[in-house]
């Protein structure tokens, strides 16, 4: 894998050029502020409202999409995935100047052909491997979140240089920028979310909680054992992998991990992961999600509400209320992505 650091980027590739951030949510706000603080010319495309007011309060230039996009040298489309095709067709396709760059933070719509970019546009991807609040916080602390970078379409011959300059501007080269392609970024990102980070982890927690409660243990004790303490283990894994976890957990925990873990996540689980990955690779998941969105999201909303109504949420809300420091820590992560 090609790996780029601070000295590999050429910031001049974007200096003096206009970067338009379209979508001022979690990632958009972080990107815009970091780029602005890095000395780049940034305009947020938004209409009067919450995003417009927030961008103004952050000291950034703001204009409507109709006025901002025609003057952009680079357009970062950072709205939620399901909004992007309509916004591309309505504003970017007809208004972007010839030879401009179109940037994504996730390759979903390009990879699954929900967006077919104009042939004269550079089409690039810069995907920080962390939420927007972390991208901003790390930048302010002089560090950076590692990022993935890809080029889908190089119309001008300068697409890669532009992508690397953008990654540098948001702090990505401080943490390291790894080169990939739209297919690999999209498919691995979706798999991570579905099988491990979100779907896999939350189902494991829920089933663990249910198993303890069904066996007669107090829900509050079950909550701490299967959810609250999960952060401690994840932090150790994040800091130093399996080795650091084994360094800091007891030998009893290690033996239980090594002998019982493979019984919980067994060959059946592995085959289900393979099936999930196949559905990502062949477009089944993408077609299902796009169809769900177009149909009004009834199933999505019902499934999400079922998650929010789970007994572990009822218990957790009461316990977290006794830990006010958690409320303070969660505030930056609550920003929603908006158009």
């Amino acid at each position: 894998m090609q790996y780029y650091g601070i000295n590999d980027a050429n910031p001049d590739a974007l200096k003096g050029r206009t970067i338009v951030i379209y979508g001022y949510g979690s990632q958009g706000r972080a990107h815009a502020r970091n780029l602005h603080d890095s000395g780049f010319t940034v305009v947020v495309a938004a209409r009067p409202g919450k995003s417009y007011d927030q961008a103004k309060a952050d000291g950034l230039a703001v204009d409507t999409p109709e006025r901002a996009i025609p003057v952009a040298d680079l357009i970062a489309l950072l709205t939620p995935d399901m909004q992007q095709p309509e916004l591309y067709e309505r504003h970017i396709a007809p208004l972007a100047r010839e030879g401009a760059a179109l940037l994504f933070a996730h390759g979903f719509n390009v990879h699954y052909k929900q967006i077919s970019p104009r042939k004269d546009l550079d089409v690039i991807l810069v995907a920080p491997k962390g939420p927007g609040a972390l991208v901003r916080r790390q930048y302010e602390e002089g560090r950076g979140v590692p990022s993935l970078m890809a080029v889908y379409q190089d119309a001008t011959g300068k697409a890669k240089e532009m992508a690397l300059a953008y990654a540098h501007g948001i702090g990505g080269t401080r943490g390291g920028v790894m080169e990939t392609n739209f297919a690999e970024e999209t498919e691995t990102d979706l798999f991570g979310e579905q099988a491990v980070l979100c779907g896999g982890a939350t189902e494991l927690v829920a089933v663990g909680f249910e198993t303890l409660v069904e066996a007669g243990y107090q829900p509050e004790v079950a909550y701490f054992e299967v959810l609250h303490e999960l952060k401690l283990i994840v932090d150790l894994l994040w800091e130093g992998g399996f080795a650091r976890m084994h360094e800091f957990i007891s030998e009893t925990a290690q033996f239980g991990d090594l002998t019982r873990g493979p019984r919980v996540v067994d060959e059946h689980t592995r085959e289900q992961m393979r099936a999930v990955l196949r559905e990502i690779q062949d477009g089944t998941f993408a077609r299902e999600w796009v169809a769900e969105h177009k149909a009004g999201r009834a199933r999505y909303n019902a499934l999400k509400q079922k998650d929010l109504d789970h007994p572990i949420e009822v218990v957790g809300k009461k316990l977290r209320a006794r830990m006010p420091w958690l409320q303070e820590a969660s505030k930056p992560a609550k920003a929603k992505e908006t158009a």
Side-chain angles (χ1 to χ4, degrees):
M1 171 174 280
Q2 189 68 42
Y3 194 83
Y4 301 95
I6 293 174
N7 295 328
D8 298 312
N10 175 22
D12 289 342
L14 280 176
K15 285 289 174 69
R17 301 193 178 195
T18 300
I19 301 171
V20 168
I21 303 294
Y22 197 2
Y24 202 66
S26 176
Q27 286 291 339
R29 187 182 182 204
H31 289 211
R33 297 170 80 193
N34 290 5
L35 289 163
H36 177 266
D37 291 352
S38 293
F40 295 110
T41 302
V42 176
V43 178
V44 175
R47 290 191 175 79
K50 184 177 179 181
S51 294
Y52 186 100
D53 294 341
Q54 182 66 73
K56 280 287 190 182
D58 289 337
L60 298 170
V62 190
D63 210 339
T64 64
E66 290 84 355
R67 287 198 293 263
I69 289 171
V71 301
D73 295 289
L74 185 152
I75 304 149
L77 185 52
L78 302 176
T79 61
D81 289 334
M82 292 300 102
Q83 295 179 9
Q84 289 181 6
E86 180 184 354
L87 296 178
Y88 173 79
E89 291 298 331
R90 187 194 308 167
H91 294 137
I92 297 173
L95 298 177
R97 69 169 186 77
E98 185 175 351
L102 176 59
L103 179 142
F104 297 87
H106 182 37
F108 184 98
N109 282 304
V110 172
H111 178 53
Y112 292 117
K113 304 190 185 310
Q114 299 303 300
I115 292 176
S116 298
R118 281 175 16 200
K119 297 300 182 184
D120 64 286
L121 301 176
D122 287 340
V123 182
I124 56 181
L125 176 143
V126 174
K129 302 315 293 176
L134 182 63
V135 173
R136 179 58 179 170
R137 185 166 67 249
Q138 289 277 289
Y139 180 92
E140 291 179 310
E141 294 173 357
R143 298 192 290 268
V145 173
S147 302
L148 296 179
M149 175 188 75
V151 174
Y152 178 81
Q153 191 167 278
D154 187 6
T156 67
K158 298 180 179 179
K160 183 174 178 178
E161 185 180 33
M162 296 277 276
L164 195 52
Y166 185 98
H168 181 78
I170 65 173
T173 53
R174 299 173 182 176
V177 176
M178 293 156 280
E179 191 165 8
T180 182
N181 56 60
F182 273 61
E184 183 176 59
E185 185 277 333
T186 302
E187 293 172 4
T188 57
D189 185 77
L190 292 175
F191 178 81
E193 292 169 350
Q194 295 173 23
V196 182
L197 304 177
C198 303
T202 55
E203 283 302 307
L204 192 64
V205 166
V207 172
F209 176 85
E210 291 165 3
T211 302
L212 288 175
V213 173
E214 287 169 1
Y217 299 103
Q218 296 180 80
E220 293 81 3
V221 174
Y223 174 88
F224 277 110
E225 294 302 332
V226 303
L227 192 153
H228 183 82
E229 291 194 35
L230 181 62
K231 182 184 185 305
L232 308 178
I233 301 303
V234 170
D235 282 351
L236 292 172
L237 292 170
W238 184 77
E239 292 166 4
F242 293 167
R244 187 163 178 82
M245 182 196 73
H246 283 298
E247 181 182 354
F248 284 91
I249 65 175
S250 70
E251 290 181 338
T252 302
Q254 291 180 58
F255 185 70
D257 162 25
L258 297 168
T259 61
R260 269 55 177 181
R263 289 171 56 183
V264 176
V265 181
D266 59 8
E267 188 56 38
H268 173 73
T269 309
R270 188 185 298 272
E271 185 49 46
Q272 289 302 307
M273 284 189 172
R274 293 189 184 112
V276 166
L277 181 57
R278 286 193 294 270
E279 291 176 0
I280 291 168
Q281 293 171 326
D282 67 17
T284 298
F285 170 77
R287 290 190 294 273
E288 183 180 337
W289 175 216
V290 170
E292 175 68 20
H293 173 72
K294 290 181 178 178
R297 301 191 179 201
R299 179 173 173 238
Y300 163 84
N301 290 331
L303 290 171
K304 183 176 179 179
Q305 193 59 49
K306 182 181 177 182
D307 238 19
L308 299 177
D309 292 339
H310 192 281
I312 199 172
E313 281 293 280
V314 178
V315 174
K317 190 173 295 184
K318 294 177 182 177
L319 292 175
R320 290 190 294 270
R322 297 172 179 268
M323 297 178 276
W325 60 89
L326 294 179
Q327 311 308 315
E328 289 300 316
S330 69
K331 283 181 180 177
K334 289 185 177 179
K336 302 295 184 183
E337 292 199 12
T338 54

